[in-house]
Amino acid sequence: MTQPRLNRRQAAKVRTRQKVLDAARTLFAERGYDAATIRDIAKGAGMSTGAVFANFQDKAELFEAVLGQDMARLTDILKGGVVADAPLRARLLGAMSAGYHASLDQLPLVQAVVARSWFQPQAAELRTRVAIKGLVMVISDVLQSGIGGGELKQDTDVRLVSELVWDAFLSNFRRAAYDGWTLEQLTTRAGKQLDLILAGVLIRQ
């Protein structure tokens, strides 16, 4: 279905909103959530704080909007890391490694996402889960293909294994943030985690 064409005023509003989101993403990625102020975001976007508040109710709503866009982008990156003809473990590891490669230059943003997940209202948490759902689905789809291809046991609890892989993927960012781990170190650790998670469900050839 063709989307209706925006008039000039609507198009300008969309551009303004995106400028705010781009400026906010840059500051969240550089400073994290708390240190990025609306005033600085407005300055980065080249507009007044009033213009920011005309598009977003508060910083929390702005952060959620940035998160939504970034999770959609990261979902595509994870999908791109899956090598179709590779073994199951390599397909999962390729997705995880691609995610790390795309995120290492914005660790404060990743830390902000994790930190706020513990201290945000329930409604915001539910919205965050919706934003992340696409990422977990990438993992689930790989696991489902593993069942269909005879690599995983038919009774594999795909939902549980997907969540374990996602939790492992996310936890490794602490190593990058606090211990300075490189992409190679993160990928190596993720591979060992996958070996443990998949140990009970892989069909040995």
Side-chain angles (χ1 to χ4, degrees):
M1 184 176 177
T2 304
Q3 293 293 327
R5 188 171 183 177
L6 300 178
N7 60 38
R8 186 172 299 178
R9 183 176 181 181
Q10 291 170 325
K13 186 173 182 179
V14 170
R15 287 194 299 271
T16 297
R17 179 182 172 87
Q18 191 57 51
K19 282 181 66 176
V20 174
L21 285 170
D22 291 342
R25 178 181 294 104
T26 297
L27 284 175
F28 288 141
E30 291 175 353
R31 306 179 186 179
Y33 180 82
D34 291 331
T37 67
I38 289 292
R39 182 185 298 275
D40 287 340
I41 290 170
K43 183 178 180 181
M47 59 187 63
S48 67
T49 56
V52 174
F53 286 121
N55 286 275
F56 300 96
Q57 181 176 336
D58 52 27
K59 188 168 73 170
E61 183 182 354
L62 178 52
F63 183 76
E64 284 186 34
V66 169
L67 176 63
Q69 285 192 347
D70 277 24
M71 292 304 98
R73 180 182 65 89
L74 189 57
T75 297
D76 290 338
I77 289 171
L78 262 64
K79 288 179 181 177
V82 178
V83 180
D85 296 329
L88 175 72
R89 178 187 183 276
R91 298 201 299 276
L92 289 171
L93 189 58
M96 296 170 79
S97 183
Y100 291 138
H101 184 267
S103 305
L104 283 180
D105 63 344
Q106 48 183 357
L107 285 175
L109 178 57
V110 177
Q111 289 174 277
V113 172
V114 175
R116 282 190 59 76
S117 70
W118 282 94
F119 300 107
Q120 61 187 351
Q122 185 176 8
E125 168 64 13
L126 292 175
R127 289 192 295 271
T128 298
R129 290 185 186 185
V130 170
I132 291 172
K133 186 176 181 180
L135 294 164
V136 182
M137 282 301 298
V138 174
I139 300 169
S140 297
D141 288 346
V142 173
L143 295 174
Q144 289 287 1
S145 72
I147 293 176
E151 298 172 278
L152 289 180
K153 296 177 181 178
Q154 290 293 319
D155 62 351
T156 297
D157 188 335
V158 172
R159 180 176 179 179
L160 176 59
V161 177
S162 298
E163 290 174 352
L164 289 172
V165 173
W166 169 252
D167 289 344
F169 170 76
L170 203 58
S171 70
N172 290 333
F173 281 107
R174 290 183 64 88
R175 300 290 186 177
Y178 296 110
D179 301 322
W181 277 24
T182 63
L183 174 62
E184 181 179 359
Q185 288 173 301
L186 291 171
T187 302
T188 298
R189 181 178 177 85
K192 293 178 179 178
Q193 290 168 324
L194 285 174
D195 289 338
L196 289 172
I197 293 169
L198 298 175
V201 294
L202 274 175
I203 296 175
R204 301 298 178 182
Q205 302 297 326

